[in-house]
Amino acid sequence: MTMRALELESCTVTFIEEDIVHTHFKDDHLVSVEDVQRMFEAIEAERDGRKVLLMVSVGLNTTMSNEARAFAAHSPESSKHIAADAIIVRDFGHQLAANVFVRHHKPDRPIQMFPDRDSALAWLRTQRNLVV
């Protein structure tokens, strides 16, 4: 599969390997439930409903609303499309927000935080058994 990127209003969704997707939420954005829904729809359309291993990063001054975090963690769409999450944390404030997602919302799938793309990708590749 050739690397393919889809530009959405709030994020770029890049299909970097057959079953690994990188979503980068753009700078200066409050991510809404609708933004997360559009991301799931883009993944579903590209993957014909097959699950992916998701790497997530966010731009400067970008955060998710609490409702968007809950939707990303527990909605039927999240369970349908995402097998595991690797969150790239860029600074302490972002790490605190990611901790809220991981510890408060507790998604029903493997999720880890990483300081960089390479370590996130390496971990996602170990989770391929979750993608059927």
Side-chain angles (χ1 to χ4, degrees):
M1 176 178 203
T2 304
M3 190 160 62
R4 175 173 153 77
L6 302 175
E7 287 294 331
L8 305 179
E9 182 181 338
S10 65
C11 64
T12 303
V13 180
T14 306
F15 297 82
I16 56 178
E17 293 181 12
E18 180 182 356
D19 51 6
I20 298 178
V21 174
H22 177 203
T23 294
H24 177 76
F25 287 98
K26 298 174 182 177
D27 291 352
D28 304 311
H29 196 77
L30 175 61
V31 180
S32 68
V33 169
E34 293 77 19
D35 294 326
V36 176
Q37 179 65 43
R38 284 187 208 100
M39 176 196 66
F40 288 153
E41 289 168 358
I43 291 170
E44 180 176 34
E46 191 72 19
R47 292 274 297 154
D48 295 323
R50 295 185 315 268
K51 286 190 177 194
V52 298
L53 303 166
L54 182 65
M55 178 170 42
V56 179
S57 60
V58 299
L60 297 174
N61 302 313
T62 295
T63 189
M64 291 180 93
S65 71
N66 198 45
E67 296 81 11
R69 282 201 261 320
F71 183 77
H74 296 294
S75 69
E77 291 89 342
S78 71
S79 300
K80 180 179 175 185
H81 302 301
I82 312 301
D85 299 88
I87 302 172
I88 299 172
V89 293
R90 66 172 183 282
D91 57 36
F92 184 69
H94 184 227
Q95 183 172 358
L96 289 175
N99 274 327
V100 169
F101 179 72
V102 173
R103 290 186 173 76
H104 176 70
H105 293 286
K106 299 177 182 165
D108 295 329
R109 59 187 178 266
I111 185 166
Q112 295 285 329
M113 291 178 281
F114 298 92
D116 57 63
R117 176 185 159 109
D118 290 342
S119 57
L121 269 175
W123 179 77
L124 285 173
R125 289 178 180 130
T126 70
Q127 303 300 308
R128 284 205 157 114
N129 62 305
L130 301 174
V131 182
V132 178

